[in-house]
Amino acid sequence: MFRKKKPDIVEEEPREGRSPQHFTGGKLARIFGIVILALFLVVTALNSIYVLQEDEYAVVRTFGSTQVVEQPGIKFKIPYLQEMRKVSKAAKQFSIGYDLDSDASYDNESFMITKDFNFVNVDFYFEYQITDPVKYFYASENPEEVIRNLAQSYIRDTVGSHSVDDVLTTGKYEIQTTVKTLLQERLANEDIGITVTNAVIQDAEVPTDEVKQAFKNVEDAKQGMETAINNANADANTRIPKARADADKIVKDSQARKEALIAEAEGQTARFNSLYTEYANYPLITKQRMFYETMEEVLPGMKIYITDGSTQTLLPLDDFSSIHVSGQPAANNTTSGDSANQAAAPEGGTVNE
């Protein structure tokens, strides 16, 4: 009734008789594992070492705690536990209104309206530096976009508070200084680790050629005016010192003349006072001496003319200095003066010494 099942016969290969395919599969598995391990070790080693340049910051983050590395050289970190990010210390730049690389214009950024309701295209160039790399990486999601948006906002506000003439000519420095100041104050309040170092109006122009030409004429006129003012100032700087020197010389000459006249007047006053003193003591002698001195000065230059009163014939005689007395040569001035005094004495009178 019941049949016996034949037992399944399983043939077992002898150990010495295993196939070559069996050995090849095992070796490949071991080699693959070794390669994976080697790659892991290489990646781990590379992830443990980094090189920091002189113009770079490194921010190392360990379980939420951050550390700034500034010294250049080969640095180490714990792989898979520490995260490292680098950022440059050098100044970075960005532009508003045009592209830095291609110099292409972006009208949607540069097109603005001024206080006097004129349109103008203004291109700005900015430079900034990262002063706090930790805040730069973790205080905001995109700090470059933040500073760019703030710059555009302050540019439009500042340009909108100036006339088109100021924007195109004399007000550029004031506008760019105001934009830089406002932007820097706002970044300090936001505290995202960025400092603005420079803000410059790269270009400012009006949209139409007619208005451009009109403003060019205005600018040329202003430059001509400034040139004329500078030339006038240069001429004034040349003439004024010379005029001051001449005036100073005149004042000094006048002062010297004044002092000389005063000294002469004082000398004459002293001489008169001394004469008056002598006169008060010896009035007659003083009168005679003064008379003699006066005659000595007057008579030597006098000439005598004789006429009969009815004709016009004049007979000149020599002056008193050439008169010979008793065959003697002409006397000196004192003698001549005495003779003159005697000759000039009143009729019937005598002159006593």
Side-chain angles (χ1 to χ4, degrees):
M1 299 259 327
F2 298 97
R3 277 182 168 179
K4 283 186 177 180
K5 290 177 81 177
K6 292 183 178 181
D8 296 334
I9 300 174
V10 179
E11 297 182 358
E12 183 180 356
E13 293 185 1
R15 293 181 179 274
E16 292 81 4
R18 289 181 179 177
S19 63
Q21 291 81 1
H22 180 78
F23 288 101
T24 302
K27 288 181 179 180
L28 288 175
R30 286 195 297 273
I31 292 173
F32 183 75
I34 292 173
V35 170
I36 294 298
L37 180 60
L39 289 175
F40 175 78
L41 294 176
V42 169
V43 171
T44 301
L46 293 176
N47 198 26
S48 303
I49 301 173
Y50 63 94
V51 178
L52 190 63
Q53 303 296 332
E54 291 184 357
D55 60 343
E56 291 179 329
Y57 292 112
V59 178
V60 180
R61 188 178 180 88
T62 307
F63 298 116
S65 176
T66 56
Q67 178 186 3
V68 179
V69 181
E70 299 185 24
Q71 296 297 326
I74 299 176
K75 306 296 179 180
F76 298 92
K77 69 182 183 67
I78 302 173
Y80 311 113
L81 296 180
Q82 290 183 326
E83 177 189 3
M84 187 275 299
R85 300 173 71 179
K86 294 181 183 180
V87 65
S88 176
K89 297 179 182 178
K92 298 184 179 183
Q93 56 273 340
F94 69 93
S95 59
I96 302 294
Y98 71 102
D99 185 76
L100 280 175
D101 298 326
S102 64
D103 204 26
S105 297
Y106 298 144
D107 291 339
N108 60 331
E109 294 182 356
S110 64
F111 192 74
M112 305 176 193
I113 186 170
T114 61
K115 181 178 68 174
D116 50 359
F117 304 105
N118 286 295
F119 296 106
V120 65
N121 287 328
V122 182
D123 297 336
F124 255 87
Y125 170 81
F126 290 92
E127 289 182 353
Y128 67 94
Q129 282 184 312
I130 298 171
T131 54
D132 192 330
V134 175
K135 293 178 180 178
Y136 174 78
F137 283 125
Y138 301 109
S140 63
E141 184 176 354
N142 192 343
E144 281 83 4
E145 191 68 21
V146 172
I147 188 174
R148 187 180 182 85
N149 292 335
L150 290 175
Q152 289 191 47
S153 175
Y154 288 125
I155 290 173
R156 292 186 180 277
D157 289 344
T158 306
V159 170
S161 63
H162 289 76
S163 65
V164 65
D165 186 53
D166 292 338
V167 176
L168 297 178
T169 55
T170 58
K172 290 183 178 180
Y173 179 78
E174 180 183 354
I175 292 173
Q176 62 194 24
T177 302
T178 302
V179 171
K180 178 184 176 182
T181 302
L182 293 174
L183 183 57
Q184 183 54 43
E185 291 176 354
R186 181 62 181 274
L187 290 175
N189 293 332
E190 296 294 334
D191 199 17
I192 59 176
I194 295 178
T195 299
V196 177
T197 58
N198 195 17
V200 180
I201 295 179
Q202 193 71 12
D203 192 16
E205 59 181 9
V206 291
T208 61
D209 294 336
E210 292 80 3
V211 180
K212 286 181 184 178
Q213 185 60 38
F215 277 103
K216 182 178 182 301
N217 295 337
V218 172
E219 184 66 19
D220 292 342
K222 287 184 177 180
Q223 290 179 358
M225 179 186 69
E226 292 177 357
T227 301
I229 291 174
N230 292 334
N231 293 335
N233 289 334
D235 187 57
N237 292 334
T238 302
R239 291 175 178 270
I240 290 175
K242 183 178 181 302
R244 288 176 177 171
D246 293 342
D248 186 61
K249 182 176 181 301
I250 292 172
V251 171
K252 289 182 178 179
D253 292 344
S254 301
Q255 187 69 23
R257 177 65 176 167
K258 169 188 171 183
E259 293 175 357
L261 292 175
I262 291 174
E264 182 180 357
E266 290 176 350
Q268 292 179 356
T269 302
R271 180 173 176 274
F272 177 80
N273 290 335
S274 64
L275 289 176
Y276 179 75
T277 302
E278 293 295 329
Y279 175 78
N281 294 329
Y282 308 100
L284 181 60
I285 296 175
T286 304
K287 287 181 181 179
Q288 291 178 351
R289 182 170 65 83
M290 292 178 67
F291 178 77
Y292 295 154
E293 290 176 355
T294 303
M295 291 300 103
E296 286 178 356
E297 294 178 1
V298 174
L299 292 179
M302 294 180 62
K303 290 185 178 181
I304 300 175
Y305 295 90
I306 301 175
T307 179
D308 58 1
S310 60
T311 64
Q312 298 297 323
T313 302
L314 301 178
L315 300 176
L317 298 178
D318 292 335
D319 57 15
F320 284 92
S321 61
S322 61
I323 295 176
H324 296 269
V325 179
S326 301
Q328 297 296 327
N332 53 24
N333 291 339
T334 304
T335 306
S336 299
D338 294 341
S339 302
N341 293 336
Q342 295 173 1
E347 185 178 354
T350 61
V351 178
N352 297 324
E353 293 187 6

